[in-house]
Amino acid sequence: MPRLLIPREVLRRLKGHDGLLKAVAEFARCCEDGTQPPRIYKASGIARDGGTFEPYLRLRLYHHHLHRSGEPLLAVQHVGTDVRAVGVTTHAAYFGDKMLWLQEHEHLIDWQSCVDIREEVWAYRPNT
């Protein structure tokens, strides 16, 4: 039975947004029960056009819509039997400059099996 682990940093982003906190609690129950959440929850890294972003796939990142509007997203990582929250984000940020997103959230990501990707993320310099 998977459990949802949420770092304080992620919870702080949700504080003051009662509806979003309820959505996260609902998502946590679904994780523990092994049931499908009521809104979209899917693996990240596969675009609508079929293209892939290997770092999201290899890191086992997923995203869940916290609201019916689709925004914001709760980005999570599957690590063993745990589901770990990595951040609260928007579609634009998460699917825009993906390497920058990984860089900004690298301290919350488990890199054990993807050391090579972590090195790429550290070396990445966004185009300005």
Side-chain angles (χ1 to χ4, degrees), residues 14 20 23 38-42 44 48 62-75 87-95:
L14 297 168
L20 297 180
R39 288 170 300 287
I40 293 174
Y41 178 56
K42 62 183 184 174
S44 303
R48 288 183 187 163
Y62 284 66
H63 61 280
H64 172 59
H65 293 199
L66 291 176
H67 191 271
R68 283 187 306 259
S69 70
E71 300 284 2
L73 300 175
L74 177 65
V88 177
T89 189
T90 64
H91 278 86
Y94 192 61
F95 296 112

Side-chain angles (χ1 to χ4, degrees), residues 97-114:
D97 188 338
K98 296 175 199 74
M99 289 297 279
L100 178 61
W101 192 91
L102 288 171
Q103 207 172 58
E104 292 172 344
H105 294 83
E106 71 89 24
H107 61 288
L108 295 171
I109 295 172
D110 182 312
W111 298 94
Q112 266 187 328
S113 63
C114 300

Side-chain angles (χ1 to χ4, degrees), residues 6 9-11 35 85 93 109 114-115 119:
I6 306 173
E9 179 179 326
V10 174
L11 284 174
T35 58
I109 295 172
C114 300
V115 176
E119 290 172 4

